[in-house]
Amino acid sequence: MLPFADALQRIIESAPLMASERVDLALGIGRVLAEDLMAGAALPGFDYSAMDGYAVALSAFTGAGPWSLPVRGESRAGALAAPLVPNHACRIFTGAPLPEGANAVVMQEDVTRTDDVATFVVAPPLGAHIRRRGEDLAQGALALGKGTRLTPFQIGLAAAVDRSELLVARRPRVAILCTGEELRSPGSPATPGSIPDSNGPSLAAMVAAAGAIPVLAPRTGDTLAATEAALRGALRSCDLLLTVGGVSVGEHDLVRAALANVGAELEFWKVKIRPGKPLAFGRHGETLILGLPGNPVSAQITFALFGMPLLRAMQGDRNPIPARGRARLQNALRQNPGRTGFYRAQLQGDLAIAASNQASGSAASLAHADALLILPAESTGLAAGESVELIRLADL
Ligand code: AMP
Ligand code: MG
């Protein structure tokens, strides 16, 4: 049985990097940059006014004030301004190019205007209210680094440096194969002993959230032949295959045998974590395989902990592993040492309230949780008030 950190590291290190593709800027959200994105031109591209007011040259402010300067010309956003006439003021608006010869802008609130003369009580400092060419990014500077998972703000910056297309990692295709005679589609007629497949939809949602494409394979029953056939079909066109259920040691747990029969090689199949001890990891040719436990809490937490970082690493994401935070425990948390524990909790400010039902069967406590509290394998627990490490589910 592998410790948690070793299993995660081995999975991430074996992640094959997806090829890259060009996408329209608007489709770049959530994708991972496969290029260093440089500013092709300076940002901003020209000196401009940050205020509505008057562009002036400090050389016009000699002797004692107030100073009255005749107003000549106007600079508007989107147009080229004529040079400033010496000892004059030029009317200027926010975003408008600074006229040649001007070296300060006085905002209109500080100017008294009568007819064609502007009167200034205070002389402006050099460069007042001027945004300089290249002050945000110099020409050729790095705007966004390779491996960045693009946020809306980064889409904005890419547009500001004049990009209409981006080179990003191809989205991995992930086949999800759920096993179990008892499973049926949510909303379909119930038969005795049947249950809705809740892992398929949850895993598909996590796959999509990690920037990959989920493909739900037809579910399979619990015979070796059916499982093998389903595996062959699912393996045909994916970068990662998820199997769900059937990886423990019960006599109906056929997935490991079926994987071996279709030629998959497993690197390991047990990790020292709670919940979710069985986790098979292997490959079939170029395709990676994660064999998840069937129990919904175990399957979903295990995929969140290993599968999402794996999918991010496959896209070249610089930060595939979610950041950890800390909170203060409201109640004591106990565990039998031996496995790294991940416990569902709600957060209130810096207080963590562990769910009273940590049973691996409780889907509701996972759905209502804000975070997974982490107890190291050797820990026997923490007392109320102690600081506990955690992963916020929103950061997954
Ligand atoms: P298994 O690992 O196949 O022995 O399944 C363990 C438990 O998880 C059993 O109670 C299964 O009914 C349940 N289970 C397995 N797969 C799913 C699924 N896709 N959705 C909901 N429950 C499942
Ligand atoms: Mg099963």
Side-chain angles (χ1 to χ4, degrees):
M1 267 220 272
L2 275 181
F4 169 73
D6 296 2
L8 182 58
Q9 193 186 343
R10 278 174 66 170
I11 287 177
I12 290 205
E13 279 172 0
S14 61
L17 196 60
M18 294 288 105
S20 51
E21 62 185 6
R22 296 211 159 270
V23 295
D24 219 64
L25 179 65
L27 298 177
I29 183 68
R31 303 293 295 271
V32 178
L33 265 187
E35 61 175 335
D36 278 335
L37 202 149
M38 320 302 279
L43 179 70
F46 50 86
D47 295 353
Y48 71 91
S49 175
M51 291 286 177
D52 291 332
Y54 295 84
V56 294
L58 294 198
S59 56
F61 293 78
T62 50
W67 300 268
S68 290
L69 301 178
V71 177
R72 179 83 63 83
E74 186 176 275
S75 180
R76 300 168 172 267
L80 190 65
L84 181 69
V85 181
N87 294 314
H88 284 63
C90 174
R91 183 77 171 116
I92 196 165
F93 300 97
T94 305
L98 191 72
E100 195 189 312
N103 57 16
V105 169
V106 181
M107 58 189 220
Q108 63 188 34
E109 290 86 339
D110 294 342
V111 178
T112 311
R113 172 82 184 259
T114 39
D115 298 324
D116 285 343
V117 174
T119 300
F120 305 83
V121 176
V122 182
L126 181 67
H129 304 307
I130 295 172
R131 296 278 170 267
R132 290 291 180 194
R133 170 187 155 81
E135 75 175 23
D136 206 358
L137 287 174
Q139 178 173 14
L142 181 69
L144 295 167
K146 186 173 172 171
T148 302
R149 179 172 295 278
L150 294 163
T151 65
F153 312 108
Q154 292 163 343
I155 298 287
L157 182 61
V161 298
D162 245 324
R163 295 290 297 261
S164 61
E165 285 188 338
L166 301 168
L167 193 67
V168 297
R170 186 168 71 71
R171 301 175 71 188
R173 281 176 63 87
V174 183
I176 303 168
L177 174 60
C178 291
T179 69
E181 300 288 353
E182 73 279 26
L183 301 177
R184 58 180 175 78
S185 296
S188 65
T191 51
S194 73
I195 60 168
D197 166 19
S198 55
N199 283 328
S202 170
L203 293 168
M206 274 192 271
V207 165
I213 302 171
V215 183
L216 276 167
R219 281 185 301 271
T220 172
D222 292 316
T223 69
L224 197 57
T227 307
E228 284 176 27
L231 286 174
R232 285 203 182 86
L235 279 167
R236 215 160 278 144
S237 60
C238 62
D239 302 297
L240 171 66
L241 168 65
L242 304 180
T243 67
V244 186
V247 280
S248 48
V249 288
E251 60 182 277
H252 297 292
D253 294 324
L254 305 159
V255 169
R256 263 178 66 195
L259 279 169
N261 290 351
V262 302
E265 282 164 33
L266 291 191
E267 272 191 44
F268 58 83
W269 48 87
K270 277 192 178 154
V271 181
K272 283 192 227 171
I273 60 166
R274 181 190 344 255
K277 178 167 61 177
L279 168 73
F281 176 65
R283 61 180 73 237
H284 180 277
E286 302 279 281
T287 304
L288 293 185
I289 301 169
L290 270 183
L292 304 171
N295 179 299
V297 169
S298 304
Q300 291 162 34
I301 289 182
T302 305
F303 184 74
L305 293 174
F306 296 99
M308 298 203 47
L310 169 61
L311 288 176
R312 297 213 166 96
M314 287 168 79
Q315 294 165 80
D317 190 328
R318 275 197 296 227
N319 299 308
I321 300 173
R324 293 186 176 189
R326 298 200 79 88
R328 216 157 34 81
L329 267 178
Q330 191 192 52
N331 297 102
L333 194 56
R334 298 270 152 246
Q335 76 168 4
N336 292 326
R339 298 195 248 157
T340 307
F342 296 90
Y343 301 98
R344 286 148 269 169
Q346 295 189 331
L347 298 179
Q348 267 172 28
D350 76 332
L351 209 58
I353 304 141
S356 53
N357 186 356
Q358 295 287 345
S360 62
S362 175
S365 67
L366 179 55
H368 296 155
D370 303 310
L372 296 175
L373 309 182
I374 307 165
L375 289 188
E378 64 280 5
S379 168
T380 55
L382 289 171
E386 284 195 281
S387 167
V388 65
E389 198 172 26
L390 57 82
I391 299 174
R392 285 169 195 274
L393 295 181
D395 290 343
L396 285 173

